[in-house]
Amino acid sequence: MFPSTFDYVRAGSVAEAISILDGSEDAKLIAGGHSLLPLMKLRLAAPSTLVDIGRLSELSFIEDRGDHVAIGALTRHRDLETSAVLKNSVPILSHVAGEVGDPAVRHRGTIGGSIAHGDGASDLPAAVLALDATMVVRSAAGERTVPATSFFKGFLETDLAQGEVLTEIRVPKTSGGWSYKKFNRRAQDWAIVGVAVVRNGSTRISLVNMGSTPLRASASENAINQGASIEEAAHLASEGIDPPSDLNASAEYRRHLASVLVRRALQEASA
Amino acid sequence: MTTTETTSGSKVLGQRVLRREDPELLTGEAKFSDDLAIPGALHMAVLRSTVAHGRITSIDTSAARSRPGVVAVYTYQDLKDDWAGPMPCAWPVTADMKNPAHFPLANGNVNYVGDGVAVVVAESKTAAVDALEAIEVDYEELDPVLDLEESISDSNVIHSEIGTNLSYTWELIPNKDAVDEAFAKAAHTVSERYIQQRLVPSAMEPRSVVVVPAPFGGDYTVYSATQVPHILKVMLALTVGISETKLRVVAPSVGGGFGSKLNVYAEEVLALALARKLRRPVRWTEERSENAVATIHGRGQIQNIELAADADGKVTAVRVNLVADMGAYLQLVTPGIPLLGAFLYHGVYDIPNYSFTCRSVFTNKTPTDAYRGAGRPEATYAIERAMDALARKLGVSAVEIRKRNFIPAESFPYSSSAGLVFDSGDYLTNFNKALDMVGMDELLAEKKLRIDAGSRKLLGIGISFFVEMCGLAPSRVLASLNYGAGGWEAATVRILPTSKIQVVTGTAPHGQGHETAWSMIVAEKLGVPMADIEVLHSDTAIAPYGMDTYGSRSLAVGGTAIHIATERVLDKAKAIAAHQLEVAEEDLDYAEGIFTVKGSPDRAFPLAAAAFEAFTAHNLPDGMEPNLEASVTWDPPNFTFPYGSHIAVVEVDTETGKVDLVRYQAVDDCGNRVNPLIIEGQVHGGIAQGVAQALFEEAAYDSAGNLLSATLADYLVPSAAELPSFELGETVTPSPTNPLGVKGIGEAGTIASTPAVMNAVVDALSHLGVENIEMPASPERVWRAIDGATRR
């Protein structure tokens, strides 16, 4: 398990990281390293340069900003899990962060790293999707914001272009019920299927590991928001969705699980 | 602490003594093979076949050779004169067993994904690994043979030189007519088919080897993460063609083996051959993903088991037909693994008629070999699952069917229909204790309550009562099975001039705690502090004789050798003391390091003084040799037969199919208990490993023969988070086979727990009509079983 040879640069600021990315065709940012390094060790990824932003403390924060909470991209999962601000204002996010991997992973991994990696099987991308969060992206050209619904583009592919750095995630505060159902065989694993439900005015439902990106269960959402019963809505969980088959679950079983978990999550969020 | 009648006279044995090995292991100070600093060592990396079955049409190593830091790149053709023979298989179970030639690198054909194709030697590990990508190999791909029953049909033969995929057929049928008659007359029969999936042993420390040539003289020191330094020395001498007197094998700290390091591997042969060729130290450490394909796998059997029973449910015959997966080649003891279970398919039951047949076949997969329990988990699984099936057929409980069939306590020593003599046992007492501890009646009531309430979380209770044969083994019995070595163990105990004690053992611990346990045995006998005792092991220069550690043999065989050697040392010291005190030996008492004259306790002579006398030899009895030392090689007269009741309680989510193990009760009987702390550790780990087979682990292949579960993200080794706190109890039935009265505990948990859990899963769903679920009982498999049963 040795990665191919690569150059390593530790960036002293976001601006410096951006300028290094701009000068390279395939440089990759690294923060906690918990998504990228395994790919590199398996030689499924071989960036020529790693730009280490892990020590940019300016990007590690959780701030109450009135109607939303702003989270720095380099905030560790463990800090989300234990944040009083999140527990109070966006409790599902704090809960989901506590479901990621194991304690070692949670002390190293960062929310920005997880979201920028854009893995459809990861917990946090689905959580920010259900929360209708907004990503703040910086580049040499300035800053732009991207809603979560248009951030995740494909398998390990996001709206981030080369030369752009995800710096902040803005999460609307929630006041209604919520639930996160993570189904797996071992505690530290990725979800075989996961379901996040946020009731904040309307109900939003997102799915983990039901596709190459985190997905919204639109048919279920529409049904429940138009007054259908939880059972009826849950039946529609995988409508229009083409889940993967792998060692842990066939597509057919994933569809079944999605229905069961959406029902359970809606019940819990409504309780 | 639990004291027992049989050890209550002991001062040390039976105590929960903390393991003296642990401080250096837990603080990271222990040195494993990969930790050894060897100046000037070259690093080896092996290019492995990406094709399950194929012909190598070309290999181009030129680009790899010219990479920076690369010293050499070799293929089979380059090295064919660098070893003296093929990879060893030490267990030719039948005279006509087929054993295809197997070399450290593939000779023309590749036969599994992971088969070695070329080896790079470089100045650094990274240079060696990077160079692998520069080697160009072309394969002509052939259809792989992956399915056991397809293999046995010989429709596609893997090794054309032997002309068949069948390695051997082995039978144990003492009286075929009697078996047939029992089935003909049976009031009830069951016929079951079970699949033992392949498992990846997954020791925490991967394999590692370092070979250091001496500057002159032609001597080599081989450091290896092995369970078997002594066997490895013999086999490397023969395979590489180096005088055994020039080889020293050392197993430094070894991080688990579970049988996977009971072997002689291609990389050990390559490292030694290349150290000789290049005259430099050569080292190699396995990567985790290599471990999945290049270290042996365990299990891999299709089991057909039939039981015949009379109207009362008394089993009259058992007939077993196995197909066992050898993988692509025979490794050190591959063919013998099914035989280690072959005698135990009647389990703990008094079944008078016995028939066992095993056909062992090659497949285009990683070779199989010993994995914790080796043959005995498979046997226990089949009989314990089949007994539950019989109970369902008769409409009696899993408890009742067992009680009707136990070998009665009064029939020990028990001569089994398979030809073994079971040493000691009282199964019913053990079983009743387990039922009592787990609260079986309350569990059954709770199970019924949930069914009646239409709960989505059903309860299942699974019983497994196991017996195993361990303490491997009487050498003459091994001879009758064509095993290529004896089953003895060697020990030397010496008391040095300053009265410190060295214990030299031929066992090779790799996590078991031998240094602690062996010190306890000596401290018990001599009445001296454990701190004065040092245990030396796992270095053939220090412990020249040994049969190493596997098959739950080390305490029953190696511990006994130490016990007897200690007695002999004490006898010699007594003769010296008697001589010094001018009394007869029989007039001396001994306690806590001091000989005293009976009736005159003030006339005393310490053991320490006897040691010094033996050293100076100034005044020893006539004819006595100097020095206080005894060496013993113990060959046991029989196996030992540990047993126990294991009861698993699971909750099954009928909507998702997820199984949660919620309680686990084990009552083990391993004879006298030397250190309960170590016993409990072995049982805990053993149970976890057996639960892993039932619910989590599987070496899964795709249709091209690629291992899909080749990382620890995909191969689901469970952690503490997936397991309940185990509830343990014990009974103590000393073994008459050895003077310590001990049996063995290293494999017990693994042997017992797999069927306990699977019986529990089926029990939870049997009212729906579910009779079997293949392992591992993944959520999807369980969901499909429920779905299938409820649709019927």
Side-chain angles (χ1 to χ4, degrees), chain B residues 621-632:
Chain B
D622 290 344
M624 179 181 278
E625 288 180 12
N627 289 326
L628 197 45
E629 171 179 305
S631 291
V632 167

Side-chain angles (χ1 to χ4, degrees), chain B residues 370-667:
Chain B
Y371 176 55
R372 202 171 190 175
R376 290 152 290 163
E378 297 92 315
T380 304
Y381 185 83
I383 182 64
E384 286 304 284
R385 294 289 322 278
M387 288 301 277
D388 266 26
L390 180 64
R392 283 193 297 273
K393 190 148 193 174
L394 266 75
V396 302
S397 72
V399 170
E400 180 59 28
I401 196 76
R402 285 171 172 79
K403 287 186 173 178
R404 286 186 196 175
N405 283 284
F406 279 144
I407 297 166
E410 57 273 19
S411 55
F412 287 89
Y414 171 79
S415 294
S416 79
S417 54
L420 296 176
V421 178
F422 285 30
D423 55 354
S424 62
D426 180 353
Y427 299 155
L428 186 59
T429 298
N430 179 286
F431 194 42
N432 283 332
K433 182 169 183 177
L435 295 174
D436 194 43
M437 286 182 78
V438 81
M440 181 58 85
D441 294 341
E442 293 82 350
L443 286 172
L444 290 170
E446 168 71 16
K447 175 189 162 187
K448 184 168 183 306
L449 212 61
R450 293 201 195 185
I451 293 173
D452 294 346
S455 170
R456 286 171 179 155
K457 284 252 171 116
L458 295 175
L459 209 61
I461 305 145
I463 294 172
S464 159
F465 200 117
F466 83 100
V467 64
E468 62 143 327
M469 47 188 264
C470 69
L472 306 179
S475 297
R476 287 183 177 184
V477 176
L478 292 179
S480 73
L481 297 174
N482 291 331
Y483 184 60
W488 46 263
E489 195 48 85
T492 297
V493 174
R494 63 175 73 100
I495 308 184
L496 301 175
T498 57
S499 79
K500 301 297 182 191
I501 299 167
Q502 280 184 330
V503 178
V504 182
T505 177
T507 68
H510 40 283
Q512 290 83 354
H514 290 180
E515 293 177 20
T516 306
W518 295 182
S519 300
M520 291 172 72
I521 290 169
V522 175
E524 173 80 19
K525 194 80 207 164
L526 297 182
V528 300
M530 280 181 63
D532 286 349
I533 302 164
E534 203 71 43
V535 177
L536 307 176
H537 59 82
S538 306
D539 180 343
T540 61
I542 292 171
Y545 294 108
M547 271 299 158
D548 304 318
T549 288
Y550 49 87
S552 302
R553 67 186 308 272
S554 289
L555 175 59
V557 189
T560 297
I562 290 164
H563 174 79
I564 296 171
T566 309
E567 275 182 345
R568 291 198 189 157
V569 164
L570 190 59
D571 287 346
K572 184 169 181 178
K574 192 176 201 178
I576 294 169
H579 178 72
Q580 293 283 338
L581 293 168
E582 296 180 330
V583 297
E585 286 179 40
E586 50 272 25
D587 291 334
L588 290 179
D589 285 330
Y590 179 79
E592 293 183 20
I594 298 172
F595 294 99
T596 52
V597 177
K598 284 177 178 156
S600 311
D602 52 325
R603 292 188 63 200
F605 195 80
L607 179 65
F612 198 72
E613 286 296 333
F615 166 66
T616 63
H618 291 171
N619 183 15
L620 293 176
D622 290 344
M624 179 181 278
E625 288 180 12
N627 289 326
L628 197 45
E629 171 179 305
S631 291
V632 167
T633 303
W634 164 258
D635 199 339
N638 191 3
F639 298 97
T640 58
F641 295 84
Y643 61 89
S645 314
H646 286 228
I647 301 173
V649 184
V650 301
E651 270 183 358
V652 180
D653 182 329
T654 56
E655 285 188 324
T656 63
K658 188 168 188 197
V659 176
D660 282 320
L661 181 63
V662 293
R663 281 188 64 196
Y664 196 97
Q665 174 73 55
V667 177

Side-chain angles (χ1 to χ4, degrees), chain A residues 178-184 191-197 205-210 217 220 230-231 233-238 249 253-269, chain B residues 456 653 655-658 779:
Chain A
W178 59 273
S179 176
Y180 186 64
K181 295 290 178 195
K182 180 174 184 174
F183 186 86
N184 57 15
I192 294 172
V193 174
V195 172
V197 167
I205 305 168
S206 68
L207 304 172
V208 182
N209 213 359
M210 285 291 285
S220 291
I230 285 176
E231 291 278 349
H235 271 298
L236 304 172
S238 57
Y253 179 57
R254 276 202 164 83
R255 289 178 195 279
H256 168 76
L257 276 181
S259 290
V260 172
L261 298 177
V262 165
R263 192 194 74 228
R264 290 181 181 181
L266 284 170
Q267 283 167 342
E268 185 174 88
Chain B
R456 286 171 179 155
D653 182 329
E655 285 188 324
T656 63
K658 188 168 188 197

Side-chain angles (χ1 to χ4, degrees), chain A residues 117-163:
Chain A
H117 191 58
D119 188 345
S122 287
D123 304 285
L124 287 165
V128 297
L129 188 62
L131 283 163
D132 260 348
T134 300
M135 314 302 157
V136 181
V137 174
R138 212 182 294 171
S139 68
E143 200 168 85
R144 68 187 179 106
T145 58
V146 187
T149 43
S150 45
F151 187 78
F152 301 104
K153 296 292 191 190
F155 180 68
L156 303 187
E157 187 195 340
T158 67
D159 197 48
L160 288 170
Q162 184 72 17

Side-chain angles (χ1 to χ4, degrees), chain A residues 1 43 187 250 253 256 264, chain B residues 130 287 655-656 717 722 780:
Chain A
M1 309 292 269
R43 301 203 168 194
S250 66
Y253 179 57
H256 168 76
R264 290 181 181 181
Chain B
D130 284 347
E287 299 181 16
E655 285 188 324
T656 63
V717 178
E722 285 73 52
E780 179 162 1

